[in-house]
Amino acid sequence: FFFSTDWTLTMTDSKLQDLQSRVKALEIGAAHDATQQAVQQAQAEMLLKMRDIRESLKEGSAGTASTKELDALQTENKTLREQNAKQAYRIQHLIGTVEKLLAAAK
């Protein structure tokens, strides 16, 4: 039984292309698996960090503000107290003036 040379070459080329596509698929799969493992490792690390943060929050040690934030809040608090004192002073004088005007109008 004789096969033509062209037919044999076509079959060989076809098999070669099939094998190349299989190898490429395996390489892509291996790269995907490696990527998945890296992602899973990063997620596991993040989970551990989040658990540590949660425990710190439960203990109350991580809930404190930074020094910079505290300074800003203290400055804002001081400014608001000064404004409140000025407004209270002005209100007292306005009430006094209104009372004098009402007394004079009687």
Side-chain angles (χ1 to χ4, degrees), residues 82-102:
E82 290 172 358
Q83 288 176 353
N84 193 18
K86 288 178 185 179
Q87 290 174 357
Y89 178 77
R90 290 176 183 155
I91 289 170
Q92 285 177 346
H93 282 284
L94 285 172
I95 289 172
T97 304
V98 169
E99 286 176 350
K100 287 179 187 176
L101 289 173
L102 288 175

Side-chain angles (χ1 to χ4, degrees), residues 48-62:
L48 291 174
K49 288 179 185 178
M50 290 174 67
R51 285 180 179 161
D52 289 342
I53 291 170
R54 183 178 61 193
E55 289 300 317
S56 296
L57 287 173
K58 283 182 182 177
E59 295 171 6
S61 63

Side-chain angles (χ1 to χ4, degrees), residues 35-78:
T35 302
Q36 283 297 99
Q37 289 175 353
V39 168
Q40 288 175 349
Q41 183 179 2
Q43 287 176 339
E45 291 173 5
M46 185 64 70
L47 180 61
L48 291 174
K49 288 179 185 178
M50 290 174 67
R51 285 180 179 161
D52 289 342
I53 291 170
R54 183 178 61 193
E55 289 300 317
S56 296
L57 287 173
K58 283 182 182 177
E59 295 171 6
S61 63
T64 58
S66 69
T67 305
K68 193 180 254 187
E69 291 172 333
L70 286 176
D71 290 342
L73 290 173
Q74 288 174 346
T75 302
E76 182 182 6
N77 192 8
K78 182 180 176 186

Side-chain angles (χ1 to χ4, degrees), residues 19-33:
L19 288 174
Q20 285 176 339
S21 66
R22 287 182 181 184
V23 168
K24 187 169 188 157
L26 288 172
E27 288 173 348
I28 291 171
H32 176 71
D33 290 343

